[in-house]
Amino acid sequence: MLKTQVIQHRKDALQQLRSHRPFELPIAFVSLLVYFLVNFITLMRFPTVHSDELWLKGIAGAAMRAHSLWVTESFFDLYPRVPHPFRWLYVGLQSLFLHCFGDTVFAMRLLSLTFGMLSIVAFAYFLKQLKLPYHLPVLALMFNISFVYAIHFGRQETMVLFFMIVALGSTLTGATFLPAVIVFLSIGVHPNSFLIAGAVSSLMILQIARKARPFKQLFYFAGILTFFFLCMIGIGSLAEPGFFAGYLKYGADLGLNSAPMRRTALFFWFWQKLFMQIGGTYDLMGIKIWLIAGLLLMLSPLLTRRLTEAHAILFGILLSLFFLGRNNQLAVLFIMPWIILGITQFICHEHREHHLFIRKRQRLESWMVAAVLLGFLIWHCFANISLYERERPYQVGYEHMIASLKSVLPSDAIVLGNLNVIDAVDETRFYDLRNLGYLEASNIRLEDYIRDRNIHYLIIHDEMTYIRQASPTWDFLYVNTHYFDALFQFIEADTEPVLTFDNPLYAMRIAAYSGTYPWQTTVYKIQDSFYEQAAQ
């Protein structure tokens, strides 16, 4: 009886304390505003512009010009692409931002920042749904280096994260139809939204095990989602007959149908790359501490004999990553909020278990330790960004590269080059070098490809020479290097250099070497004699 009264008195005291926080909402709003403005100002400073951002911007640009979602990138004509409806929502929002803020990488990153801010608010609400303190956990997410990187990167990750948090939050309420609708909408952002379906299903299974949800609702969720997905495929097939078969073939070419042993090897290699910071063209931050925390969290039920929402969600995401078979390193973002959730649940569970025996001062000391940990995470975030700058002693900005190229390229120039220079020319008059990787399969000679498209300028980065020398390690960046000999022979025989300039960050896209040496970019003009010979 006494124990019950003490617990009730404690609950009443906490409720009264929470009701007398008139400044909590204004302080939260100001904090979020400052966070937004700081990231808004530094959007283009960190990280370097990646060709993925320009690729996605090109898709939105093509859709805006055609007033249709059933288009592919104009700069890929031999590189295999399949028009599909799986990005309709993302492309629509991209188009809106590009229309309002200009056809720039900044607009792409602003879209990511916007959904990053929404993700912060959604995560705070998710924690409140579980009756957990949310101030420190939300700050931990805000200063998680993977999160900061994602909100500065013009890709879909922050949008997928937002839909994931909202879908899981609606699952906590016991809903079935709404999570299915949210997952369906998220497929319009990226097919990787399969991860959300896995996380939601896993959380539902935990609820079923706790007898908080009937088992049949899991089947309802799967059935509703399958129905929506089939409707999307049906609409897509009406607009583009055979698109799904082509999409599956494209996925197979990327390794999505790997054998189980191969899939297992790739799954462990994915985590090894994250731990060792092997990112290819992606800048991987130092997240060892987060990966170790995640591993300990997933192993903790072996000792505590207790499963939480964080365990269920993480298990669903990890299982989905395994079944996908091909994982981008940036997908690590999707586990970060749930590692934070798991740590929060562990701390709060310990307090609830022992609150009758732990003195108030000891509990205060525990939260002081948590605050110190948060301070360490904030330092860890800024240390990563500082290290990122120091590891690139040679720096020439993206805007400088674009300005240098524009100084020698006519406004109507038709150009063949690497995608990261596309902003220097008219997007509709640009061809990506990766098309050349399919010359042999298309039975087209290099000279014919250039002549048929009336290409007059080539833009070549030093990285091509390096990749040629290091072959086959980095061949995949240009599909293959089978055409390199023919290309360099053509450059020597039928072009003349018109500009060579230092471009240490963008003339070398391999993250480990970018900015570490004064790499150069050269613009070549195809000689008039090349076209005169053809005319004769």
Side-chain angles (χ1 to χ4, degrees):
M1 184 67 180
L2 179 61
K3 181 178 178 180
T4 304
Q5 289 177 343
V6 170
I7 293 173
Q8 185 61 44
H9 177 74
R10 182 174 179 272
K11 287 182 178 179
D12 293 341
L14 286 173
Q15 186 63 36
Q16 185 177 10
L17 182 63
R18 286 171 183 149
S19 64
H20 290 81
R21 292 177 177 174
F23 300 109
E24 181 175 359
L25 190 60
I27 290 174
F29 177 79
V30 171
S31 300
L32 288 174
L33 180 61
V34 170
Y35 184 81
F36 174 83
L37 291 175
V38 169
N39 285 284
F40 179 86
I41 294 169
T42 59
L43 267 183
M44 293 302 295
R45 179 176 176 180
F46 164 83
T48 55
V49 176
H50 195 278
S51 58
D52 279 7
E53 301 175 271
L54 299 163
W55 190 334
L56 291 167
K57 184 167 76 72
I59 295 173
M64 291 170 68
R65 288 189 298 271
H67 302 288
S68 171
L69 294 173
W70 297 98
V71 295
T72 57
E73 306 87 321
S74 59
F75 44 80
F76 286 136
D77 56 354
L78 296 186
Y79 191 94
R81 302 298 294 152
V82 180
H84 62 79
F86 298 135
R87 270 194 297 252
W88 65 270
L89 182 57
Y90 184 65
V91 171
L93 289 170
Q94 271 185 294
S95 301
L96 175 64
F97 271 67
L98 292 174
H99 178 76
C100 294
F101 302 103
D103 186 19
T104 62
V105 175
F106 178 83
M108 296 282 294
R109 293 187 170 188
L110 184 59
L111 177 59
S112 293
L113 175 59
T114 301
F115 273 88
M117 300 302 299
L118 293 174
S119 297
I120 292 169
V121 176
F123 187 56
Y125 184 73
F126 185 91
L127 291 164
K128 291 186 73 174
Q129 282 182 284
L130 291 173
K131 295 181 172 55
L132 294 169
Y134 62 89
H135 301 90
L136 293 182
V138 166
L139 286 170
L141 177 64
M142 291 167 65
F143 290 96
N144 177 282
I145 187 60
S146 295
F147 184 79
V148 172
Y149 186 87
I151 63 177
H152 283 242
F153 201 90
R155 277 179 49 119
Q156 301 104 316
E157 275 73 22
T158 57
M159 287 186 68
V160 174
L161 180 64
F162 171 72
F163 280 110
M164 177 181 286
I165 297 171
V166 173
L168 290 167
S170 67
T171 305
L172 287 179
T173 66
T176 302
F177 182 77
L178 184 57
V181 172
I182 295 171
V183 174
F184 169 71
L185 290 175
S186 68
I187 295 173
V189 176
H190 196 282
N192 267 5
S193 297
F194 174 70
L195 298 176
I196 305 178
V200 169
S201 299
S202 188
L203 182 57
M204 284 185 176
I205 291 172
L206 179 67
Q207 292 175 320
I208 293 168
R210 292 175 173 176
K211 302 188 184 306
R213 178 189 292 272
F215 190 75
K216 61 183 180 181
Q217 287 192 2
L218 180 61
F219 289 99
Y220 290 162
F221 169 75
I224 294 167
L225 186 58
T226 301
F227 173 76
F228 284 148
F229 186 69
L230 291 175
C231 287
M232 178 180 284
I233 293 175
I235 294 171
S237 298
L238 289 175
E240 185 78 20
F243 96 91
F244 194 60
Y247 191 78
L248 290 177
K249 182 181 182 303
Y250 178 67
D253 293 339
L254 294 176
L256 297 185
N257 61 347
S258 302
M261 292 301 295
R262 171 68 174 165
R263 193 180 296 271
T264 303
L266 289 174
F267 181 74
F268 284 103
W269 173 234
F270 168 69
W271 294 106
Q272 184 180 347
K273 285 191 295 184
L274 290 173
F275 192 83
M276 302 301 296
Q277 294 179 252
I278 303 172
T281 63
Y282 296 103
D283 303 302
L284 293 186
M285 303 293 108
I287 57 172
K288 291 183 177 69
I289 185 173
W290 288 100
L291 296 178
I292 293 171
L295 177 61
L296 293 176
L297 181 64
M298 291 304 291
L299 294 176
S300 64
L302 298 176
L303 297 176
T304 63
R305 305 296 180 187
R306 177 174 171 268
L307 285 174
T308 66
E309 287 80 4
H311 292 113
I313 293 168
L314 283 170
F315 180 79
I317 293 173
L318 293 174
L319 192 62
S320 300
L321 285 170
F322 173 79
F323 280 117
L324 277 174
R326 182 180 184 270
N327 303 300
N328 185 288
Q329 291 93 322
L330 303 184
V332 72
L333 171 70
F334 304 133
I335 69 169
M336 292 302 177
W338 316 119
I339 294 175
I340 296 170
L341 172 64
I343 295 171
T344 304
Q345 288 185 306
F346 177 80
I347 293 173
C348 292
H349 179 262
E350 291 300 307
H351 283 179
R352 288 170 185 156
E353 287 287 309
H354 306 292
H355 69 273
L356 290 175
F357 309 103
I358 299 178
R359 296 178 182 273
K360 183 177 179 181
R361 180 178 176 182
Q362 289 175 310
R363 294 200 300 272
L364 179 61
E365 288 174 353
S366 296
W367 284 110
M368 286 179 64
V369 171
V372 170
L373 287 174
L374 175 63
F376 170 76
L377 294 178
I378 294 174
W379 170 84
H380 180 261
C381 175
F382 285 103
N384 264 279
I385 296 174
S386 176
L387 180 63
Y388 183 88
E389 296 284 339
R390 295 198 308 272
E391 287 180 338
R392 292 158 177 78
Y394 298 92
Q395 295 198 21
V396 174
Y398 182 74
E399 294 80 5
H400 182 272
M401 176 187 71
I402 297 302
S404 298
L405 293 171
K406 283 184 174 181
S407 68
V408 296
L409 293 173
S411 59
D412 60 347
I414 301 178
V415 176
L416 175 65
N418 192 287
L419 188 57
N420 66 1
V421 302
I422 193 172
D423 276 350
V425 298
D426 182 345
E427 186 179 294
T428 62
R429 305 173 74 85
F430 180 85
Y431 294 94
D432 191 282
L433 279 163
R434 282 170 287 186
N435 289 308
L436 304 186
Y438 297 90
L439 287 175
E440 187 176 344
S442 303
N443 197 27
I444 300 175
R445 295 171 60 247
L446 172 65
E447 291 79 5
D448 293 334
Y449 180 88
I450 292 173
R451 187 179 293 112
D452 292 344
R453 289 151 185 77
N454 201 31
I455 295 169
H456 278 80
Y457 288 89
L458 304 178
I459 301 176
I460 303 297
H461 293 323
D462 273 358
E463 73 172 15
M464 294 190 73
T465 302
Y466 175 83
I467 290 171
R468 189 184 188 188
Q469 294 171 348
S471 181
T473 306
W474 299 102
D475 289 9
F476 66 93
L477 293 181
Y478 285 87
V479 180
N480 56 62
T481 57
H482 300 164
Y483 59 91
F484 272 35
D485 287 343
L487 178 62
F488 282 103
Q489 288 172 9
F490 175 83
I491 289 173
E492 185 176 349
D494 294 296
T495 70
E496 55 185 356
V498 294
L499 175 68
T500 298
F501 63 98
D502 288 345
N503 192 15
L505 290 176
Y506 297 100
M508 169 55 74
R509 292 177 300 141
I510 302 170
Y513 309 132
S514 178
T516 61
Y517 178 82
W519 307 102
Q520 293 186 322
T521 295
T522 302
V523 180
Y524 296 95
K525 185 179 185 304
I526 297 176
Q527 297 172 350
D528 294 337
S529 58
F530 171 73
Y531 285 99
E532 291 170 357
Q533 292 171 4
Q536 295 174 358

